[in-house]
Each structure stands twice: as C-alpha cells, then as structure tokens.
Amino acid sequence: KETAEKYRTHKKGLVGAGSDARDAENGGRPVDVEVSVLSNSHWPSQNVEPCVLPTAVRAAMDRFQKYYLATYTGRKLSWQTSTGSAEIRANLPPAKGSSKPRRHDLSVTTYQMCILVLFNTRDMLTLKQIRDETHIPEDELRRHLVSLCTPKHRILRKGSKGKGISGDDDTFTYNAEYTS
C-alpha cells in the first residue's frame, strides 16, 4: 500500500459570483496535479477521511490513479487531502473607477481551495452548507474558515461579529474588495 500524501493543484477558477458551469470546471482547461507517492513505511497513513474535492481536481486525480495503478499492479493509493496545497487564481470584479477585472494568485491549503471554489457558483454559504459539501472535519473547517476571514487575508467575510464562528447558521460571503 502506498500513500499519495501530497499533491499540488494548479486551479485557475473564479472566486465570486456570476460564474457559469464552465468557470466551475476551470474554464474547460485541465487542472495540473503534482503527486508525491510515499510508502507507509515513510509516511504512515492518517485516519482523516478525504474531503470532497472540486470536480476538475477529482478528475485529474482519477487520471493519475488510473495511470499509476496500471503501471504498478498490486498497489493501492490512499489520498491524504488534509496535507495538500493548491495555487488558485481569484478573478474579482474591477476596483471602483476601473473597468479591468482583478486577478489574485493565491497559495492555499487543499481545504481552503475546496471552500473557495464553492463561491464560484454562490455569493453566500452557511457553515453547515460548507461542511455538508466539503466533508472537511469540523475543527479543520472552522480553523480554515477563520483564516480566510482574518483581516490580513480577508478573502471571505463572516456574517457574525467576533473572531470565532458562532454556529451552523453563520454565513460567509466572498470579499469583492479583496486586495493582496
């Protein structure tokens, strides 16, 4: 048994409102996935269930897995989505007084990528909706959402006041005025 412990996705998508199905699928462009395959003796498997990945990322991983298992018979891959990272491009509306859309390349964790991609098709989501769609473990979900809402990196805005997340009905919206 081997573990595909770390992968890097190069996802260029829209973080914001008004996208269509092609935007959610990476605009028809393929997603690059970089995989590190380690044996369990080098990296013991973790008991963390994989999160639900964006469709384009899942398709790229499936292509790799098909190739890998055809090349190395008798082996098994276990994806450790809790340890990955991603580079995504956020396409935001023009700044006030400009007509040019703004782009930001973001280096995020896999969990943060999964959260941000949900905003390709919706303006607002609750904690419960994000949890149900991503299957990110509760503690990790809250930690990653708070980090996306902090003043230093406020790509998302939290509906409730204070530093923490108040509950399942707490809302999150993308920050159209985000600057890096």
Side-chain angles (χ1 to χ4, degrees):
K1 179 179 174 184
E2 296 194 293
T3 303
E5 166 271 326
K6 181 179 176 186
Y7 58 91
R8 239 178 139 70
T9 60
H10 302 281
K11 172 90 173 118
K12 293 175 176 66
L14 173 70
V15 178
S19 65
D20 60 20
R22 268 181 23 122
D23 288 326
E25 293 301 322
N26 198 36
R29 295 180 304 275
V31 172
D32 298 325
V33 177
E34 184 180 301
V35 178
S36 296
V37 178
L38 303 172
S39 68
N40 278 342
S41 63
H42 288 93
W43 189 272
S45 65
Q46 300 174 358
N47 292 331
V48 179
E49 287 292 317
C51 63
V52 176
L53 296 165
T55 305
V57 174
R58 182 77 244 170
M61 290 171 55
D62 289 345
R63 284 190 302 274
F64 174 81
Q65 186 160 331
K66 183 177 177 183
Y67 156 79
Y68 184 82
L69 295 178
T71 304
Y72 303 101
T73 57
R75 295 186 182 179
K76 180 182 175 187
L77 286 176
S78 298
W79 296 96
Q80 300 295 324
T81 57
S82 61
T83 61
S85 62
E87 294 174 12
I88 62 174
R89 175 165 291 156
N91 296 311
L92 298 172
K96 291 180 182 174
S98 174
S99 61
K100 185 178 178 184
R102 296 173 297 126
R103 289 185 176 171
H104 296 280
D105 291 330
L106 307 172
S107 293
V108 295
T109 68
T110 302
Y111 287 162
Q112 290 171 330
M113 171 194 64
C114 293
I115 293 165
L116 290 172
V117 168
L118 294 176
F119 290 90
N120 281 348
T121 56
R122 287 163 284 183
D123 292 334
M124 183 174 41
L125 292 159
T126 65
L127 173 65
K128 181 178 180 348
Q129 289 172 316
I130 295 169
R131 181 189 319 108
D132 290 349
E133 292 190 40
T134 63
H135 294 207
I136 296 171
E138 183 71 22
D139 291 344
E140 291 294 313
L141 177 61
R142 287 175 178 260
R143 185 171 69 85
H144 284 84
L145 277 167
V146 166
S147 73
L148 291 168
C149 295
T150 59
K152 185 176 179 183
H153 308 289
R154 192 169 287 160
I155 188 77
L156 294 180
R157 291 189 176 167
K158 185 168 60 75
S160 65
K161 300 294 180 200
K163 291 183 180 180
I165 296 172
S166 60
D168 278 355
D169 293 331
D170 209 346
T171 59
F172 299 88
T173 56
Y174 85 98
N175 180 5
E177 285 83 41
Y178 172 78
T179 59
S180 59

